[in-house]
Amino acid sequence: MKAILYRKFGGPEGLEYTDVSDPKPGSHEVVIRIRAAGVNPVDWKLHRGKLPGAFLFRLKLPFVPGAEAAGIVEEVGSQVKELAPGDEVVAFHSALQGGAYAEKMLTSVDNCQKKPAGISFEESASAPLAALTAYQLMKGLQTSGKRLLVLGASGGVGHFGVQIGKLLGADVTGVASARNQEFLKKLGCEAALAYDDPNFSESLEAYDVVLDAAASRSPAELAPHMNKGASYLNTLPSPAHWMQCKFRGFGYRGAMVRSSPEDMATLMGWLEKGEVRPVVEKTFPLEQTAEAHRLSETGHARGKIVLVVSS
Ligand SMILES: NC(=O)c1ccc[n+]([C@@H]2O[C@H](COP(=O)([O-])OP(=O)(O)OC[C@H]3O[C@@H](n4cnc5c(N)ncnc54)[C@H](OP(=O)(O)O)[C@@H]3O)[C@@H](O)[C@H]2O)c1
């Protein structure tokens, strides 16, 4: 089958579109014929060897990147009862496992959910990693009736964070650049602020929960705008931020997104009902993954970037 792989760490020019052997399922695994795969910053950060603590992960080269995909089950292992060939599914597993930038993906049946009806393979593939990051950060927090500030609100994690925050009952203020202010309003933000506006800091009010999806401002910087006992949620876990929160009596959570059947089922329900709507800014054919990574590396993608593998 065709896949994208890299043989050494570096930039998008090192992504090869090439032949690799077809995967075979173990007893609890499924092989999915991929229609679309989501692109996430973790994919190019791993390739660049840039992920904090990357040396711990010992990524085995050559490596096929990709953590999430949507497609059709082609083959199931002997113990798989939940799915059968022909089922339309969405799958998500660790970016360190990889394998979604390919014509077929091998994963545990526990990482799969039936694809929500009424949304495309591209939209379905774009959702798991970024949406679960936002959801797992907010899950269990008091958000109903609270003021939530989402920084990086137009990006992959942020645009899901806004929508999930609203579903969880929060009053949401989104922050992105000036060009994305209308987009933030369309997502449902009660208020939208531009970080590149010279008056940005003065426009900030007081919030109960801050989701910094862009890792753009520390708890120390945001403290004047956080209510007593507020929570600070960050997509790039940082001991310094944990200390700053502890010192000020704020709650702290750093994301470590993980595949969870329960959380995936919740997300699929929202997607099925149209309560959460993925926004796919741009799709690329699998062969043009390098272009997709270049766009993701700008740090200014709107919503998600998706690879179209087959139609
Ligand atoms: N730890 C985990 O489990 C986990 C999981 C998912 C993601 N992450 C990390 O979270 C980060 C965001 O991921 P993503 O997929 O959302 O990235 P993304 O799609 O590239 O989105 C980046 C967002 O940041 C905004 N932004 C850029 N500069 C900003 C600034 N100075 N202030 C406020 N917003 C700014 C952009 O808005 P404009 O385009 O308007 O500038 C855009 O909305 C990445 O570093 C990723 O690696 C971590």
Side-chain angles (χ1 to χ4, degrees):
M1 67 168 180
K2 291 289 185 198
I4 295 292
L5 64 69
Y6 52 87
R7 299 174 197 279
K8 56 183 185 180
F9 296 104
E13 65 286 349
L15 296 169
E16 288 177 37
Y17 178 68
T18 188
D19 290 301
V20 300
S21 47
D22 279 29
K24 291 302 288 175
S27 58
H28 289 89
E29 291 178 320
V30 301
V31 173
I32 300 162
R33 181 166 281 281
I34 295 177
R35 297 279 297 268
V39 172
N40 292 285
V42 65
D43 299 320
W44 56 259
K45 287 184 185 179
L46 275 174
H47 184 199
R48 286 202 178 270
K50 262 193 175 173
L51 207 66
F55 64 95
L56 291 175
F57 300 138
R58 293 176 185 277
L59 208 69
K60 214 167 136 247
L61 300 176
F63 184 72
V64 176
E68 59 189 2
I72 296 165
V73 173
E74 182 164 283
E75 200 178 344
V76 301
S78 58
Q79 300 300 311
V80 173
K81 307 277 179 270
E82 303 86 337
L83 293 171
D87 285 345
E88 296 186 344
V89 290
V90 182
F92 164 52
H93 61 205
S94 166
L96 296 167
Q97 196 171 332
Y101 288 12
E103 288 179 330
K104 296 179 191 182
M105 177 183 185
L106 177 69
T107 194
S108 163
V109 66
D110 296 339
N111 296 323
C112 301
Q113 293 283 326
K114 292 268 176 71
K115 177 186 152 297
I119 68 168
S120 65
F121 283 95
E122 286 84 356
E123 290 166 318
S124 306
S126 78
L129 190 150
L132 291 188
T133 302
Y135 177 45
Q136 289 171 357
L137 279 170
M138 288 191 274
K139 193 179 169 185
L141 282 182
Q142 279 294 345
T143 41
S144 186
K146 302 290 183 186
R147 301 203 68 195
L148 166 67
L149 178 71
V150 180
L151 295 142
S154 59
V157 174
H159 91 291
F160 285 119
V162 168
Q163 298 180 66
I164 294 169
K166 286 192 63 69
L167 267 176
L168 299 178
D171 174 302
V172 183
T173 297
V175 177
S177 61
R179 82 177 177 101
N180 277 320
Q181 299 301 289
E182 270 313 301
F183 177 64
L184 297 188
K185 289 280 178 61
K186 279 197 190 132
L187 283 176
C189 291
E190 272 79 18
L193 302 176
Y195 65 79
D196 47 0
D197 178 332
N199 299 319
F200 169 64
S201 296
E202 292 78 64
S203 324
L204 287 169
E205 296 180 352
Y207 305 93
D208 304 297
V209 181
V210 174
L211 166 56
D212 190 355
S216 61
R217 279 182 166 69
S218 68
E221 289 170 284
L222 289 166
H225 306 288
M226 291 169 67
N227 289 328
K228 193 164 180 281
S231 295
Y232 175 86
L233 321 173
N234 195 326
T235 51
L236 296 181
S238 147
H241 290 173
W242 175 80
M243 286 285 287
Q244 291 171 13
C245 285
K246 200 163 172 56
F247 182 67
R248 292 170 174 83
F250 297 141
Y252 174 80
R253 287 183 183 180
M256 279 300 223
V257 66
R258 60 191 174 81
S259 181
S260 141
E262 185 195 342
D263 294 349
M264 276 282 275
T266 301
L267 173 63
M268 294 303 128
W270 287 333
L271 296 175
E272 174 102 21
K273 288 188 229 146
E275 291 173 335
V276 171
R277 293 174 190 274
V279 175
V280 176
E281 177 185 17
K282 201 157 166 52
T283 63
F284 294 85
L286 184 64
E287 305 89 289
Q288 290 174 20
T289 299
E291 285 311 308
H293 271 205
R294 284 188 186 99
L295 176 58
S296 179
E297 288 198 37
T298 65
H300 298 291
R302 180 182 284 166
K304 289 292 313 260
I305 301 163
V306 169
L307 303 174
V308 177
V309 181
S310 66
S311 49

